[in-house]
Amino acid sequence: AQTVTQSQPEMSVQEAETVTLSCTYDTSESDYYLFWYKQPPSRQMILVIRQEAYKQQNATENRFSVNFQKAAKSFSLKISDSQLGDAAMYFCAYNNAGNMLTFGGGTRLMVKP
Amino acid sequence: GAGVSQTPSNKVTEKGKYVELRCDPISGHTALYWYRQSLGQGPEFLIYFQGTGAADDSGLPNDRFFAVRPEGSVSTLKIQRTERGDSAVYLCASSLNYQGATQYFGPGTRLTVL
């Protein structure tokens, strides 16, 4: 069974600074997909970024980028120029042919003004 | 367009009662998923529908939990003889039908069993 681990229960960043959230996963598959979701207090999961495992190029979405290391099974999220609205729970998730998402335990990000 | 909607937003019930939670997916999305999120944890998979049929129900914790999607659109998660341990946020997501498709989530239903 696949597992996803987020080793940082909480992280804090100063507004306008950069922060990196860690995620590692365990799988024997070669073809899969990785996601970062943001969950604000409103509860709704919002997609931040998506990465296909067969692509070597790291995905980027405006201020959000990933560092995907397939051999190390690592998928970290970098948030640049942090904003107050970035404060939320962040979940890393894995998806393969089974379609269901396997989530990590989450990292709470606090942004200090 | 409209996103995934879930009703009710909050549900409080007594131990032993029956509850139904509804999910209305994004129009055109044939895949629909239910997840359960306990306090302070990541969501856990319950069941996945492809069209009207349950393609994978391996995450349902026991036979008190059941879900249907009779017309391939709206889905209802049904919980019989609720227990205090069923208290959680129940999230629904939908997606297009291809491997790795992004799942779009609804706002969830917070279920509290007293």
Side-chain angles (χ1 to χ4, degrees), chain A residues 37 39 43-45 50 99 101, chain B residues 35 37 100 103 105 107-108:
Chain A
Y37 281 90
Q39 188 178 41
R43 289 198 313 244
Q44 184 142 13
M45 288 280 197
R50 175 179 180 269
N99 292 92
L101 289 171
Chain B
Y35 295 86
Q37 186 176 22
Q103 296 183 23
F105 283 80

Side-chain angles (χ1 to χ4, degrees), chain B residues 67-85:
Chain B
V68 296
R69 196 186 184 197
E71 297 179 357
S73 179
V74 170
S75 176
T76 304
L77 178 66
K78 308 180 180 192
I79 310 174
Q80 299 177 321
R81 304 183 305 279
T82 51
E83 300 177 357
R84 293 193 179 86

Side-chain angles (χ1 to χ4, degrees), chain B residues 12-102:
Chain B
V12 180
T13 190
E14 294 180 344
K15 180 176 178 296
K17 299 290 189 182
Y18 168 84
V19 297
E20 289 189 351
L21 312 179
R22 175 189 167 106
C23 172
D24 202 337
I26 293 172
S27 178
H29 281 189
T30 57
L32 185 146
Y33 312 80
W34 284 99
Y35 295 86
R36 180 167 71 174
Q37 186 176 22
S38 300
L39 190 63
Q41 298 182 19
E44 293 179 320
F45 169 76
L46 294 176
I47 187 169
Y48 154 55
F49 285 91
Q50 185 49 253
T52 60
D56 183 351
D57 64 357
S58 62
L60 294 178
N62 52 60
D63 61 5
R64 296 186 298 105
F65 288 74
F66 189 71
V68 296
R69 196 186 184 197
E71 297 179 357
S73 179
V74 170
S75 176
T76 304
L77 178 66
K78 308 180 180 192
I79 310 174
Q80 299 177 321
R81 304 183 305 279
T82 51
E83 300 177 357
R84 293 193 179 86
D86 298 335
S87 296
V89 173
Y90 289 81
L91 296 168
C92 176
S94 71
S95 75
L96 295 172
N97 181 30
Y98 61 86
Q99 185 178 349
T102 295

Side-chain angles (χ1 to χ4, degrees), chain A residues 1-6 23-29 32-34 51 53 67-76 92-94 102:
Chain A
Q2 292 82 15
T3 58
V4 178
T5 302
Q6 294 179 248
C23 173
T24 58
Y25 57 94
D26 185 22
T27 183
S28 57
E29 304 290 333
Y32 51 88
Y33 303 81
L34 296 164
Q51 174 81 43
N67 183 5
F68 173 48
Q69 301 289 330
K70 191 172 184 179
K73 297 180 183 176
S74 170
F75 183 61
S76 60
C92 177
Y94 167 99
T102 301

